[in-house]
Amino acid sequence: MFVTAAMKHLVGMVLLEDADKVAQIFLKYGVVEPVAVKNLEQADQEGLDESFNTALYERVSELRRHIETLLTLGNISIPFIREDEVEKMHAANLENCQKLLAKVDSEVTTLRNQQQALQEKIHRKQELLHSFGKNQSEFSNALLRFRADKTASEMLRVRAGRVKKIFFTALDQKLRERFNISMSSSQEEHDVLIKLVYLADREQEINQVLQQAQWTEIPLEDVIIASEEDSIQDIENDIAKMQEEQLQLKKEFVQRIGRYKDDLTENWTRLHVNELYSRLREGFSNTRYTSFFSGWIPQSSIKKITADLRQATNNHIVYEIRDAQDVKDNTGKRIQPPTAMQNPKILKPFETLVKTYGVPAYNTIDSTLPVAFLFVVMFGLMFADAGHGAVIALGGLISMMMSPKNKRDLGFLMTCCGLSSIVTGILFGSYFGFPLTKPIWFDFEAVANNRPSHYTLKTTITNINDVFKLSIQFGIAVIYLSYVFNWLNRLRRREWIELLLERNGILGGWMYGVGIYLVWNYVASNYQNFGDTSQMGWMLGVPVLLLFFAEPAKYFFYERKEKEHKFKMAMPGGWIGHWLLEIFEFVVNSLSNTMSFIRVSGLGMAHVILMSTFYGMAENMPFIAKIIVMVLANVIVITLEGLSAAINSVRLNYYEFFSRYFIGGGRLYQPVKLNE
């Protein structure tokens, strides 16, 4: 959990007839990331044939995605495949599957077309309604002035006319289906009186339809036109009716697909298993009688898998287990092992924070556990309020309950951060900005407002400087932890020069400690002296000089062995320049990184002061106004400060913590497994 999983490379050979059994075992365990045998060092390119059928794989994938779409539209869950089902699974019959999909598509296509046509009508009506809203004054003028020239608005047209009863039904259908239009009518003895309101940009097409229905124009002055509200209500009623139709079509659509639920899920399962088999077979190559396979497997799974392989093939198997650093491709270049982050489920959401920064290199520290702790603790310290924390935690729980299983990370992080704020809020006695209980640690509200505490507390933190000092001490501890992690990474990778001589190595950790000692003494003496500096020559001067040898050592031990890195006279000058730059960056970064942790206490103080300001504003207001202001204040603070605390917590982890030890450039481990 603390480091990435140790990986092994398994390469082996079985009889061709046993190849499917090998793939089945790989799929059962779901821990194998295939590696093409033909890409490995010493592979006999002429004697091996690929077993992977690209065309077949693409067809299977296409059919599986098609069924998946239908299942999703039919509100049917994607099946969960058990390991014991794989052994009983038959190969998918692609022709039968194609026939099934054609049958289902033929039944639902008409419904989908009706849904799309109806949605287009709804969109047109909503567009007309939106135009009314944007041009209310113009629309009202058109209705009230009854202008026969139909130019009351550049956007809208208002007209009245008569058509024979025999033409009305066809006209009504054409106008409502094809155009954004508000239409009202009244029956007369032989004719139908029609009043129209529509968007001006379709007037030419509407005129053609009206002429076909033998429309007779009537001056608007001779007709009582409906009010703006009536016209809008007419459109809203049309939209409501169409939305009800849309809902009914959707129900029918779901029911139609539901009739084929069993067939669709069975075919999806077979196709998915076949697809996974094909992906595994990417790592296989065949001869006439044998099949070769290879893949990355976690060291912890090797024993179980090899035992099953021997049993399934009756020991007709030859295999080799290679260490990660010994695997090379057919050009002799080392193949990069995948990075497997082996964390329990409860820590998986925090993996997202790590992966956002980068994928750890193989055989380095997995930052998930320390980030899970530091991110939550920093958030709580920056947003220390038990009341607000409870709201955030509740919001996170609701988000988790309402989200699909694979999209609950944000809700989980919110819940953890909220719980952290509850704990720190209790420590500081803060509940929705009120000091409701006696603080357990120190009175943050009194310190932030620069007044004596109402409580008798056993604490040395009584003013703002004490809080800033505490933040810096916390920052120093975090930075030193990052140094230790870097040393562990370099030890694991046997990078001795980086471990000893770089500014983030042991030398840099020593220099940082000496610098902290000097600055701490300087501040403690009221900015008068740096304490005992008699030993500074060897304590600081020697390490600074040793820092110079990092680049020359890298050249003589690593780079000079490569032909393209021949020694040049300009190199020593470059080493000196790099050394001076390293010293400058070390001083600047050490100072800025340490001082960055002041934001931990700074945001906490900002929270206290902001809440005090809001409550001060509401103090002399009437009761109802006071309640409104207090509610709005808490909503604003929870939203803005919650985001600010989360962002700054991430920032401190990335730039002050990760930057010293994190070695990126890794490639995520992607095994082929049943239920991804």
Side-chain angles (χ1 to χ4, degrees):
M1 183 172 67
F2 185 63
V3 296
T4 60
M7 303 297 293
K8 295 291 184 179
H9 182 259
L10 176 67
V11 60
M13 179 189 72
V14 294
L15 296 174
L16 189 59
E17 62 195 45
D18 290 332
D20 281 342
K21 295 178 183 178
V22 173
Q24 193 176 84
I25 290 171
F26 286 173
L27 190 56
K28 171 186 173 183
Y29 284 100
V31 295
V32 179
E33 181 185 295
V35 178
V37 171
K38 293 191 73 171
N39 293 336
L40 297 176
E41 187 180 32
Q42 298 177 346
D44 183 0
Q45 302 294 324
E46 295 182 1
L48 295 176
D49 295 322
E50 294 289 350
S51 65
F52 181 66
N53 188 326
T54 303
L56 181 62
Y57 174 77
E58 291 176 352
R59 189 182 177 197
V60 168
S61 297
E62 182 183 354
L63 291 173
R64 191 265 305 164
R65 288 193 297 269
H66 192 155
I67 294 178
E68 204 165 290
T69 301
L70 290 173
L71 292 176
T72 303
L73 293 173
N75 296 330
I76 300 171
S77 300
I78 302 299
F80 182 87
I81 308 172
R82 301 194 312 270
E83 291 178 4
D84 58 341
E85 291 179 325
V86 176
E87 298 175 2
K88 306 172 187 175
M89 194 68 61
H90 300 290
N93 188 317
L94 301 188
E95 298 305 321
N96 288 345
C97 182
Q98 191 76 54
K99 290 177 182 177
L100 172 66
L101 288 174
K103 185 177 180 181
V104 177
D105 285 341
S106 67
E107 290 195 23
V108 300
T109 297
T110 303
L111 291 174
R112 293 183 70 176
N113 291 339
Q114 290 176 358
Q115 284 181 311
Q116 291 172 358
L118 202 53
Q119 187 58 46
E120 188 176 342
K121 291 180 185 178
I122 292 172
H123 177 70
R124 291 203 301 263
K125 287 289 183 182
Q126 289 172 336
E127 190 179 61
L128 182 61
L129 195 62
H130 177 65
S131 180
F132 285 174
K134 288 179 64 178
N135 303 276
Q136 281 187 4
S137 60
E138 294 182 0
F139 182 62
S140 299
N141 290 337
L143 294 174
L144 294 174
R145 286 191 277 168
F146 308 131
R147 292 180 57 179
D149 61 4
K150 307 178 288 299
T151 59
S153 166
E154 293 183 1
M155 297 289 295
L156 300 169
R157 293 289 183 267
V158 183
R159 298 176 66 175
R162 285 189 176 89
V163 297
K164 298 294 183 183
K165 286 185 177 181
I166 59 173
F167 299 124
F168 174 71
T169 302
L171 175 64
D172 180 69
Q173 184 177 357
K174 284 183 179 179
L175 289 176
R176 292 187 184 277
E177 286 185 355
R178 293 174 55 187
F179 306 106
N180 292 340
I181 198 162
S182 173
M183 180 176 177
S184 60
S185 61
S186 59
Q187 299 283 338
E188 296 181 338
E189 186 176 356
H190 300 291
D191 301 329
V192 179
L193 179 64
I194 302 173
K195 288 156 281 188
L196 299 176
V197 183
Y198 54 86
L199 296 173
D201 60 354
R202 305 298 296 274
E203 184 162 27
Q204 186 175 354
E205 298 170 71
I206 290 175
N207 279 336
Q208 292 176 358
V209 175
L210 294 177
Q211 288 172 10
Q212 292 172 3
Q214 298 182 17
W215 166 276
T216 302
E217 192 82 20
I218 300 174
L220 291 177
E221 291 87 344
D222 298 339
V223 182
I224 300 175
I225 302 295
S227 67
E228 175 185 357
E229 290 78 11
D230 291 338
S231 296
I232 291 176
Q233 186 62 49
D234 179 50
I235 298 173
E236 289 177 340
N237 290 338
D238 287 345
I239 292 174
K241 289 178 183 177
M242 288 188 287
Q243 287 176 334
E244 182 63 29
E245 288 180 49
Q246 187 80 291
L247 185 61
Q248 292 301 320
L249 285 172
K250 185 176 181 181
K251 289 181 179 178
E252 187 177 350
F253 186 90
V254 171
Q255 290 172 355
R256 291 277 184 93
I257 295 178
R259 295 173 190 170
Y260 297 94
K261 176 182 176 181
D262 293 341
D263 289 337
L264 288 173
T265 52
E266 182 182 351
N267 275 274
W268 182 91
T269 303
R270 290 185 178 183
L271 288 168
H272 187 51
V273 171
N274 276 255
E275 189 178 14
L276 295 176
Y277 266 132
S278 296
R279 284 177 56 191
L280 283 168
R281 294 300 291 265
E282 284 186 84
F284 285 59
S285 290
N286 301 332
T287 65
R288 186 174 180 180
Y289 301 108
T290 60
S291 182
F292 291 84
F293 58 88
S294 82
W296 292 108
I297 303 176
Q299 181 174 308
S300 57
S301 301
I302 282 287
K303 188 175 181 180
K304 292 182 293 184
I305 287 181
T306 52
D308 276 14
L309 288 174
R310 288 194 298 270
Q311 182 179 356
T313 60
N314 292 320
N315 282 323
H316 296 154
I317 181 173
V318 177
Y319 64 85
E320 179 184 2
I321 300 169
R322 300 175 179 175
D323 291 332
Q325 65 270 18
D326 297 333
V327 184
K328 298 179 181 180
D329 62 18
N330 48 28
T331 65
K333 185 179 179 181
R334 181 171 171 267
I335 296 177
Q336 181 185 16
T339 298
M341 302 170 73
Q342 46 185 1
N343 294 295
K345 286 185 178 180
I346 195 171
L347 292 179
K348 290 296 181 181
F350 294 99
E351 278 189 8
T352 305
L353 294 177
V354 177
K355 292 174 185 175
T356 301
Y357 188 82
V359 179
Y362 175 74
N363 197 32
T364 61
I365 289 174
D366 179 353
S367 304
T368 303
L369 180 60
V371 163
F373 174 76
L374 289 176
F375 175 76
V376 172
V377 168
M378 289 178 186
F379 183 94
L381 292 173
M382 288 187 274
F383 199 11
D385 191 298
H388 292 158
V391 173
I392 294 172
L394 180 61
L397 288 172
I398 293 172
S399 175
M400 289 174 66
M401 288 188 291
M402 296 180 64
S403 302
K405 286 186 178 180
N406 60 340
K407 295 183 179 179
R408 294 179 180 174
D409 287 1
L410 179 59
F412 181 80
L413 292 175
M414 286 177 61
T415 303
C416 291
C417 289
L419 293 174
S420 179
S421 291
I422 291 173
V423 172
T424 52
I426 293 172
L427 289 176
F428 299 144
S430 179
Y431 303 82
F432 294 106
F434 288 109
L436 297 182
T437 63
K438 180 180 178 180
I440 297 175
W441 190 0
F442 64 89
D443 193 340
F444 209 151
E445 193 270 340
V447 170
N449 288 294
N450 196 25
R451 64 167 179 79
S453 175
H454 298 305
Y455 306 100
T456 302
L457 301 170
K458 294 181 180 180
T459 179
T460 58
I461 301 172
T462 57
N463 56 57
I464 292 176
N465 287 335
D466 292 336
V467 177
F468 286 157
K469 180 180 177 182
L470 184 65
S471 294
I472 291 175
Q473 289 173 335
F474 175 71
I476 292 171
V478 172
I479 289 173
Y480 252 112
L481 182 62
S482 68
Y483 273 115
V484 173
F485 283 176
N486 184 57
W487 302 342
L488 292 174
N489 270 341
R490 300 305 180 180
L491 276 171
R492 292 184 63 83
R493 294 165 64 90
R494 299 181 181 180
E495 296 173 346
W496 309 116
I497 295 173
E498 290 81 354
L499 170 65
L500 298 172
L501 298 178
E502 285 200 338
R503 59 188 171 102
N504 290 326
I506 293 175
L507 197 62
W510 174 271
M511 292 164 61
Y512 181 72
V514 173
I516 293 298
Y517 168 79
L518 292 174
V519 173
W520 208 262
N521 284 337
Y522 184 65
V523 174
S525 67
N526 198 22
Y527 308 101
Q528 297 299 316
N529 59 73
F530 292 96
D532 183 10
T533 58
S534 59
Q535 305 298 320
M536 285 302 107
W538 69 269
M539 289 180 67
L540 194 58
V542 172
V544 168
L545 289 174
L546 287 174
L547 194 64
F548 167 79
F549 292 99
E551 287 302 305
K554 286 180 185 178
Y555 174 77
F556 284 107
F557 285 100
Y558 304 146
E559 297 173 0
R560 73 186 182 93
K561 298 176 182 178
E562 301 173 9
K563 295 180 180 179
E564 61 271 20
H565 288 97
K566 292 182 179 180
F567 181 81
K568 299 176 182 177
M569 294 301 296
M571 281 185 175
W575 295 336
I576 293 173
H578 185 271
W579 173 56
L580 295 174
L581 184 62
E582 284 283 283
I583 295 172
F584 176 76
E585 287 187 351
F586 175 81
V587 173
V588 172
N589 289 343
S590 297
L591 183 61
S592 63
N593 291 164
T594 306
M595 297 305 291
S596 282
F597 283 88
I598 289 179
R599 73 185 68 226
V600 174
S601 56
L603 284 175
M605 288 186 184
H607 169 72
V608 172
I609 294 170
L610 192 58
M611 292 305 300
S612 299
T613 302
F614 277 123
Y615 288 143
M617 291 168 54
E619 189 173 357
N620 298 319
M621 292 182 176
F623 180 75
I624 299 298
K626 182 185 294 186
I627 295 298
I628 293 173
V629 169
M630 290 170 66
V631 170
L632 288 175
N634 280 279
V635 170
I636 291 170
V637 167
I638 289 173
T639 303
L640 296 183
E641 290 197 22
L643 284 172
S644 179
I647 291 169
N648 279 282
S649 182
V650 170
R651 185 204 178 282
L652 287 171
N653 274 281
Y654 283 177
Y655 296 105
E656 275 63 61
F657 186 55
F658 278 22
S659 60
R660 277 182 171 76
Y661 77 89
F662 190 91
I663 302 174
R667 180 179 61 80
L668 274 179
Y669 167 58
Q670 295 179 318
V672 179
K673 51 187 176 182
L674 284 174
N675 300 289
E676 294 182 277

